[in-house]
Amino acid sequence: MGHRVFSGCRAQALATMFTVVLLSPVLAQGGGKSGDTLWSDAPKRVDRQKQDLERLPPTNAEQADAKAERYTLHLKRTLPYIVIDSVSFMQEGKKYRLVDLDAVPAAKTCKNPDGLRWACGLKSRVALSRLLRAKPIRCAQLGEKDGFLLVECVRNEKDLGGQMAAAGYALTPVGKDRYRVEEDEARRKKSGVWAEATASN
């Protein structure tokens, strides 16, 4: 007798559950009241101009994809570079120049506070040569000028132009602010050519 009562209760519970499941879409559409709709399967146009939603920051994977799309030019580490000056170089007959930077002239000499002259132009060129040899280089092509491809390059995910400006071995042209912060930091630390008391070409 007790087993039959238990079976009957279980059957009634299952029947109640199936009824709730079957009626859920109806309840959701009407919310129990005529004309009230909680959601609809019908397509609805969204006006993005009227949306005020907080956007999530990009994931690491998304950032990596964006960089891969930007830096499409891969320079071959196994081939030699010919460094022209502190912002220009050649490889396989193509000439490249780091964008929005002026070179320290290769023949430039500087004087330190003690009055000793040093080859700051040559040292600036050597600094770029060392950066190019250290790791694989990826670049974004940003135009062409005077036979040079203007490029923004990264080495180990660090901007080459930014590193050269921060070391005081590349100069920010008037009206260009891409590397102004790095140059200001080099001036403050008296790095590279900014360590000099006077300079001569």
Side-chain angles (χ1 to χ4, degrees):
M1 182 66 178
H3 177 71
R4 290 182 180 180
V5 171
F6 177 76
S7 298
C9 291
R10 183 171 61 179
Q12 184 176 1
L14 290 174
T16 302
M17 182 178 66
F18 287 139
T19 301
V20 171
V21 170
L22 292 174
L23 289 178
S24 292
V26 177
L27 293 174
Q29 291 288 343
K33 296 181 181 180
S34 177
D36 292 340
T37 302
L38 297 182
W39 71 76
S40 172
D41 293 332
K44 182 179 180 181
R45 184 179 296 277
V46 176
D47 187 352
R48 294 184 180 273
Q49 299 298 325
K50 296 181 180 179
Q51 285 185 317
D52 187 19
L53 303 177
E54 181 181 358
R55 294 186 178 275
L56 295 175
T59 63
N60 290 337
E62 290 171 339
Q63 291 177 341
D65 289 343
K67 288 182 179 181
E69 291 177 3
R70 177 173 178 79
Y71 302 109
T72 56
L73 177 62
H74 293 244
L75 301 182
K76 298 177 181 178
R77 187 181 180 187
T78 56
L79 296 178
Y81 296 97
I82 300 174
V83 179
I84 301 170
D85 55 38
S86 66
V87 299
S88 307
F89 60 94
M90 292 179 60
Q91 189 182 70
E92 292 189 288
K94 293 183 179 180
K95 296 192 294 184
Y96 304 92
R97 179 177 294 158
L98 299 178
V99 71
D100 290 340
L101 285 171
D102 282 342
V104 176
K108 184 183 179 87
T109 59
C110 302
K111 289 183 180 180
N112 64 20
D114 296 327
L116 299 176
R117 192 180 300 275
W118 61 289
C120 52
L122 177 60
K123 190 167 183 179
S124 299
R125 186 174 65 181
V126 170
L128 178 61
S129 179
R130 287 176 175 171
L131 284 180
L132 291 172
R133 290 201 310 262
K135 295 285 183 180
I137 305 298
R138 297 180 293 126
C139 302
Q141 299 185 46
L142 302 177
E144 188 173 350
K145 184 178 181 181
D146 301 330
F148 286 82
L149 285 176
L150 302 178
V151 291
E152 177 187 311
C153 299
V154 293
R155 176 190 69 95
N156 198 26
E157 305 305 325
K158 295 182 179 180
D159 187 294
L160 258 66
Q163 291 181 80
M164 290 297 293
Y169 292 134
L171 310 174
T172 299
V174 175
K176 301 289 186 180
D177 293 323
R178 183 189 293 260
Y179 299 113
R180 184 70 61 189
V181 172
E182 288 84 352
E183 181 176 285
D184 288 346
E185 183 69 7
R187 287 173 179 265
R188 187 182 67 81
K189 292 182 176 180
K190 298 185 179 300
S191 301
V193 299
W194 306 115
E196 64 177 333
T198 60
S200 58
N201 293 325

